[in-house]
Amino acid sequence: MPYLETGGARIAYTDTGTPTGRPDAPTVVFGHGLLFGGWMFRHQVRTLRGSHRCVTLDWRGQGASPAAGPSDMDTLALDAAAVVEALGSGPVHWVGLSMGGFVGLRLAARRAELLRSLTLLGTSADAEEPAAARQYGRLGAVQRLVGVRPIASRITPLLFGSDADPALVREWLVRLDTADRAGIRAAVRGVAERASVAGELSAIGVPTLIATGDQDRATPPDRARAIHAGIPGSRLAVLEGCGHTSALERPAEVTRLLHAFLHEVDRTSCVRGTVP
């Protein structure tokens, strides 16, 4: 897996390259959720790579990226901006799930010139609730000492809905078992201690799609509705029977939503002769 160097960190990524015969195809960058990696977007990449260049990132200390310094959301937003600039493909479509959405909100509000559109899956613009932040802190400390298996029964309901495929949950656990424990602890702290960006939502002007699972316990649907109310012209979809990890739990539905949205943005850009 290739790496990009930024801010003293090595960020692992995958890149499908531009589709055959489409050298000017737009780029989609995927930012994953906490305790996952870029692999969680495999279904969406499989479909979209025929029309778009698809890039997935692994945040510091997660997936194939080694731990390196802080993992707070502002630092990760700087990492993401550096990666987008290094791609050299102009404004990109940003797709972020949970942690990836926290980063996407910051990019869209502060570095709008880097984005063509913004898609937020299972995301919140608010700071973590104090009780939840304390719970995440405790779970992160235990995970750092003994790994994820002993606390899996407490984490799984936060990440997956009741109808999630058991094989998917088992795969996630196997992947997480091999993760850098110190890196995961830092990532958990970064999420638990993040600041609110609700006051920055009105500054977001790129086309925005928001989707949430109606069973999402980590970022309940009211968080998505608050983002929808705060970003002018955004659109909202609620996925029934879906938990927090929609890209894997409802891959076909998420891919359909994303495919339609990206192509609409791309068509509008072509008509205007520019990008949003």
Side-chain angles (χ1 to χ4, degrees), residues 29-222:
V29 180
F30 295 86
H32 66 83
L34 179 65
L35 307 182
F36 286 86
W39 68 271
M40 76 180 313
F41 294 108
R42 60 193 178 194
H43 300 288
Q44 291 72 44
V45 169
R46 187 179 302 132
T47 295
L48 292 172
R49 66 182 300 166
S51 56
H52 293 76
R53 178 186 181 186
C54 294
V55 176
T56 70
L57 308 181
D58 287 352
W59 300 122
R60 298 178 179 213
Q62 299 185 79
S65 293
S71 289
D72 62 276
M73 298 305 102
D74 287 346
T75 295
L76 298 189
L78 293 175
D79 288 348
V83 169
V84 170
E85 290 172 331
L87 293 175
S89 59
V92 303
H93 296 290
W94 182 270
V95 180
L97 191 148
S98 191
M99 191 176 196
F102 304 156
V103 173
L105 285 168
R106 287 160 172 78
L107 280 181
R110 303 169 187 175
R111 298 293 308 274
E113 76 279 6
L114 298 179
L115 300 191
R116 181 183 292 253
S117 75
L118 175 65
T119 297
L120 304 169
L121 307 172
T123 295
S124 172
D126 300 316
E128 195 58 69
E129 294 289 341
R134 289 192 295 271
Q135 178 189 20
Y136 293 165
R138 290 191 296 269
L139 292 174
V142 173
Q143 183 274 336
R144 174 70 175 87
L145 292 173
V146 299
V148 72
R149 293 283 176 173
I151 55 174
S153 63
R154 299 177 63 184
I155 299 175
T156 301
L158 296 173
L159 297 181
F160 298 96
S162 58
D163 296 332
D165 183 353
L168 170 61
V169 177
R170 288 193 297 271
E171 178 188 2
W172 165 72
L173 279 171
V174 169
R175 288 177 179 270
L176 194 56
D177 263 345
T178 65
D180 182 305
R181 292 183 185 179
I184 293 297
R185 173 75 187 282
V188 171
R189 288 187 62 183
V191 166
E193 298 172 3
R194 71 185 186 277
S196 171
V197 291
E200 299 184 54
L201 294 180
S202 61
I204 297 177
V206 297
T208 302
L209 170 66
I210 305 156
T212 182
D214 65 353
Q215 295 182 10
D216 190 340
R217 291 177 56 185
T219 52
D222 64 316

Side-chain angles (χ1 to χ4, degrees), residues 26 90-92 112-113 115-117 207 265-266 268-270 272-276:
V92 303
E113 76 279 6
L115 300 191
R116 181 183 292 253
S117 75
V265 172
D266 291 340
T268 302
S269 299
C270 288
R272 293 175 178 172
T274 186
V275 295

Side-chain angles (χ1 to χ4, degrees), residues 216-273:
D216 190 340
R217 291 177 56 185
T219 52
D222 64 316
R223 307 289 181 86
R225 295 187 181 101
I227 296 173
H228 176 49
I231 300 179
S234 62
R235 60 190 71 179
L236 174 66
V238 178
L239 309 176
E240 295 185 5
C242 182
H244 185 60
T245 313
S246 56
L248 287 168
E249 292 184 60
R250 292 289 184 273
E253 194 169 351
V254 169
T255 301
R256 282 196 297 270
L257 283 170
L258 191 54
H259 184 274
F261 175 65
L262 298 186
H263 281 272
E264 179 183 334
V265 172
D266 291 340
R267 284 196 302 271
T268 302
S269 299
C270 288
V271 170
R272 293 175 178 172

Side-chain angles (χ1 to χ4, degrees), residues 3-38:
Y3 292 84
L4 286 167
E5 306 279 345
T6 173
R10 298 178 70 230
I11 306 300
Y13 70 100
T14 67
D15 186 352
T16 64
T18 55
T20 302
R22 299 198 57 186
D24 297 326
T27 297
V28 186
V29 180
F30 295 86
H32 66 83
L34 179 65
L35 307 182
F36 286 86

